Amino acid sequence: MKKHNFSAGPSILPQEVLKKASEAVIDFNGLGLSLIEISHRSKDFIAVMDKAQALVKELLELPEGYSVLFVQGGASTEFLMAPYNLLPEGGKAAYVDTGAWSKKAITEAQRFGETVVVASSKDKGYNYIPKGYDVPADADYIHFTSNNTIFGTQLKDFPGGDVLKVVDMSSDIFSRKLDFSQFDVVYAGAQKNMGPSGTTLVIVKDAIFGKSGRNVPAMLDYAVHAKAGSMFNTPPVFPVYVSMLTLEWLKEKGGVEAIEKLNNEKAELLYNEIDNNPAFVGFAAKEDRSNMNVTFTLADESQKEKFDAIAAAAGISGINGHRSVGGYRASIYNAMPIESVQVLVNAMQELNK
Ligand SMILES: *Cc1c(COP(=O)(O)O)cnc(C)c1O
């Protein structure tokens, strides 16, 4: 039986994407060769890279003056690439601490210089998004985590005025319409909403190249990857190809605006059940709820065995909460059909019967 995959990452991809990707592993473009055994400098693969980059620009409506990179090392490498490229010696970086991923980004920035945490929601176990804080005007940049995959909270605004904005968008990129002209660096590991793990999408405003004035190693330099069209070294050909397929799928679905509508319907369906079913309690503050990762717990922990059995029988997979939060987390990324969310809602209702 095909399961309903609520995994937080690596996570669900569209069935048609998985099918096309598996075919390309055997015979790509009718070449009689696998996608993963041809040169990344062949015209067939260059077309994949070009198309993937063009689709990112089109789907996110990026203005002129931004480069789209596909690099390796995961979002975790971006935690250090951002300060390496943006924070000069003696400079100051500002961070908003909204959970475990923000904390890791902060830890890396501290290796490069003064790092100010301008706001944190740690006091309440990261169940909300801090608001109404000041961003020091002399900061070299401010860093946000747009969606907190573990805690199920999501930013609606990115304050900071003229200060450069860096955003970890790993778990909600392509899920909602945003004005990207306000951002200077956006990064996202592919494995939450775009493709397999192994590549990281980085969107970078060309104006920031060289900003830190540091002697940045080539592999960690945004400008080097941009100039080489993400072919400075061998790119992760399979993750880039699958990402391209997912972006084609998204375009066929009507793009970001259409998927946002669907994502909101899915989230509303599930949050409604959490709010109306006395057996469950939502984790995140209502106004800060994520439409990608829905976190909740049982009102009565002794019902865990029963609910887990109901969920398993319904073919529900991957709803266990992160080890640091407990409870449940249903990740309802772009590729998750609303029918699967309904299956989960039915299972939650079944618990009361
Ligand atoms: C998963 C995740 C990361 C870590 O990504 P890796 O690709 O494993 O390094 C960072 N930030 C957020 C918000 C995430 O969800």
Side-chain angles (χ1 to χ4, degrees):
M1 168 170 99
K2 181 69 196 163
K3 298 262 174 79
H4 303 281
N5 182 9
F6 291 89
S7 173
S11 42
I12 188 166
L13 288 169
Q15 277 302 302
E16 40 286 42
V17 166
L18 295 178
K19 186 163 179 293
K20 278 188 199 165
S22 66
E23 286 164 4
V25 168
I26 303 298
D27 183 5
F28 179 50
N29 281 357
L31 293 173
L33 294 164
S34 167
L35 168 80
I36 57 174
E37 61 178 9
I38 59 169
S39 168
H40 58 290
R41 311 241 177 237
S42 63
K43 95 175 173 353
D44 288 85
F45 185 75
I46 287 173
V48 169
M49 182 61 91
D50 287 348
K51 179 131 200 225
Q53 292 174 350
L55 281 164
V56 171
K57 288 186 176 172
E58 181 183 345
L59 288 163
L60 299 179
E61 297 176 30
L62 293 186
E64 287 294 307
Y66 285 80
S67 294
V68 172
L69 319 179
F70 286 94
V71 296
Q72 300 187 57
S76 299
T77 298
E78 296 313 305
F79 296 162
L80 64 107
M81 267 176 92
Y84 219 152
N85 284 267
L86 292 172
L87 186 59
E89 299 278 352
K92 183 195 284 184
Y95 277 73
V96 181
D97 171 27
T98 53
W101 295 119
S102 305
K103 274 205 105 83
K104 287 192 167 169
I106 291 164
T107 302
E108 296 304 322
Q110 284 167 338
R111 300 182 205 276
F112 292 88
E114 188 187 350
T115 304
V116 185
V117 178
V118 294
S120 173
S121 49
K122 193 177 178 192
D123 57 340
K124 290 190 181 156
Y126 296 116
N127 74 348
Y128 73 105
I129 299 294
K131 293 164 203 88
Y133 49 86
D134 290 323
V135 178
D138 64 342
D140 287 287
Y141 67 89
I142 176 150
H143 180 282
F144 304 96
T145 310
S146 64
N147 184 68
N148 297 282
T149 325
I150 293 173
F151 301 94
T153 60
Q154 191 171 28
L155 268 73
K156 310 286 187 292
D157 302 300
F158 302 86
D162 290 338
V163 175
L164 298 189
K165 287 178 184 151
V166 179
V167 188
D168 176 358
M169 228 177 257
S170 291
S171 52
D172 69 346
I173 195 158
F174 301 111
S175 74
R176 57 175 173 166
K177 240 182 121 111
L178 287 172
D179 173 12
F180 275 74
S181 72
Q182 66 185 308
F183 305 128
D184 295 276
V185 176
V186 171
Y187 59 88
Q191 69 272 19
K192 309 279 167 52
N193 223 359
M194 192 172 71
S197 61
T199 192
T200 315
L201 170 62
V202 183
I203 295 158
V204 52
K205 200 171 189 170
D206 300 345
I208 65 96
F209 292 153
K211 184 179 177 298
S212 74
R214 294 180 193 258
N215 185 15
V216 183
M219 278 297 285
L220 301 177
D221 189 339
Y222 292 138
V224 167
H225 289 288
K227 190 159 167 258
S230 295
M231 298 263 197
F232 175 69
N233 70 324
T234 314
V237 292
F238 186 70
V240 171
Y241 178 67
V242 181
S243 298
M244 183 208 81
L245 292 177
T246 309
L247 297 176
E248 275 182 340
W249 169 88
L250 179 55
K251 186 177 169 180
E252 277 162 29
K253 285 256 163 192
V256 173
E257 204 168 327
I259 209 81
E260 179 176 17
K261 238 183 108 215
L262 246 157
N263 286 336
N264 288 341
E265 281 170 34
K266 282 155 27 186
E268 208 176 294
L269 177 62
L270 190 46
Y271 284 121
N272 265 335
E273 185 59 28
I274 291 168
D275 290 341
N276 293 312
N277 188 330
F280 295 94
V281 184
F283 175 78
K286 278 191 186 173
E287 72 273 19
D288 299 323
R289 282 173 163 175
S290 166
N291 66 353
M292 292 278 99
N293 310 97
V294 179
T295 46
F296 54 98
T297 54
L298 282 162
D300 174 2
E301 266 302 311
S302 74
Q303 292 208 289
K304 181 168 166 49
E305 210 172 312
K306 186 178 170 197
F307 181 60
D308 288 352
I310 293 169
I316 290 165
S317 168
I319 58 165
N320 276 336
H322 188 267
R323 58 191 184 277
S324 64
V325 180
Y328 297 96
R329 167 176 54 175
S331 298
I332 51 175
Y333 297 119
N334 284 354
M336 164 74 57
I338 196 162
E339 291 77 14
S340 291
V341 180
Q342 187 63 54
V343 169
L344 175 57
V345 165
N346 293 348
M348 292 164 81
Q349 290 173 354
E350 182 79 22
L351 184 60
N352 298 322
K353 283 180 188 157

